[in-house]
């Protein structure tokens, strides 16, 4: 890959990472709105599940527009991983800003309320966690930097695995 091809790939990945971050922010906003409108929880899940399909679609656009209909597995993998990295950085930054300046404990209260229900307690018990210990550790886990860095790490892990599948499906050799 020469320098111009690298610049082109990173430019597409930068924009597509920004678009993916918007989807993740919308999903996070739906999660926050779930106590007001319960159907937003399903919409949030739908947005998250659509992530690999969105990245595959944007890879197809890059392949058709920027690569004249052909892209190698390696280049497709690099593109997909860059999209997830860019989206993860943007989303984590926005999540940190929200948690630091706007949340005022709302997310912590939502999680506390859920795990104080019988269903939440049963879920913790099934996972092997003590309700009392979980509730005592929850405020530490819900710190803005902890939550944002955890979101970034999950985005990178899930993005790396998804990128392998997306690149394998979307790679296309040029026909002679």
């Amino acid at each position: 890959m020469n320098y111009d091809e690298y610049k082109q790939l990173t430019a597409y990945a930068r924009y597509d990472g920004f678009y993916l971050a918007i989807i993740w922010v919308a999903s996070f906003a739906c999660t926050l709105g779930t106590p007001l409108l319960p159907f937003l929880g399903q919409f949030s899940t739908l947005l998250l599940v659509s992530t690999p399909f969105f990245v595959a679609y944007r890879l197809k656009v890059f392949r058709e527009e920027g690569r004249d209909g052909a892209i190698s597995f390696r280049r497709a993998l690099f593109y997909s991983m860059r999209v997830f990295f860019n989206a993860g950085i943007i989303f984590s930054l926005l999540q940190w800003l929200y948690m630091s300046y706007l949340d005022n404990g709302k997310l912590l209260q939502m999680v506390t309320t859920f795990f104080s229900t019988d269903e939440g307690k049963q879920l913790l018990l099934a996972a092997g966690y003590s309700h009392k210990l979980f509730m005592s550790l929850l405020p530490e886990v819900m710190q803005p930097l902890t939550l944002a860095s955890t979101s970034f790490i999950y985005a990178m892990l899930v993005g790396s695995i998804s990128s392998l599948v997306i690149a394998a499906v979307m790679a296309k050799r040029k026909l002679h």
Side-chain angles (χ1 to χ4, degrees):
M1 177 174 357
N2 65 36
Y3 180 70
D4 289 334
E5 291 172 339
Y6 174 78
K7 277 180 46 177
Q8 179 191 41
L9 185 141
T10 56
Y12 270 87
R14 191 176 311 117
Y15 284 111
D16 294 342
F18 179 76
Y19 300 144
L20 181 58
I22 291 171
I23 292 171
W24 289 350
V25 167
S27 175
F28 185 66
C30 288
T31 299
L32 294 174
T34 300
L36 300 173
L37 300 169
F39 75 90
L40 289 177
Q42 286 82 15
F43 194 65
S44 172
T45 303
L46 182 64
L47 286 170
L48 284 179
V49 170
S50 73
T51 293
F53 301 104
F54 174 78
V55 174
Y57 169 73
R58 294 306 302 171
L59 175 58
K60 181 182 177 191
V61 169
F62 171 63
R63 182 186 73 199
E64 299 303 322
E65 290 179 2
R67 302 290 311 147
D68 296 325
I71 193 165
S72 68
F73 171 79
R74 189 172 65 180
R75 196 167 289 180
L77 179 64
F78 184 64
Y79 167 85
S80 297
M81 291 181 79
R82 284 296 301 249
V83 169
F84 279 106
F85 177 80
N86 292 335
I89 288 286
I90 294 167
F91 175 71
S92 296
L93 175 64
L94 293 174
Q95 189 178 44
W96 177 80
L97 288 169
Y98 169 78
M99 293 297 293
S100 294
Y101 300 107
L102 299 174
D103 184 65
N104 296 323
K106 182 170 36 169
L107 186 61
L108 176 62
Q109 182 60 39
M110 279 177 52
V111 175
T112 302
T113 301
F114 173 76
F115 283 107
S116 295
T117 65
D118 289 335
E119 295 86 11
K121 289 177 182 175
Q122 289 174 355
L123 184 65
L124 288 173
L125 189 60
Y129 295 108
S130 158
H131 180 263
K132 193 174 194 174
L133 177 64
F134 180 81
M135 289 303 198
S136 68
L137 294 175
L138 192 58
E140 292 176 36
V141 174
M142 299 298 286
Q143 292 297 315
L145 187 58
T146 305
L147 192 61
S149 59
T150 302
S151 293
F152 178 74
I153 291 168
Y154 279 136
M156 294 301 91
L157 288 174
V158 172
S160 297
I161 294 166
S162 297
S163 291
L164 288 168
V165 175
I166 292 167
V169 170
M170 300 304 291
K172 186 176 177 184
R173 296 277 179 210
K174 194 166 200 121
L175 297 175
H176 298 291

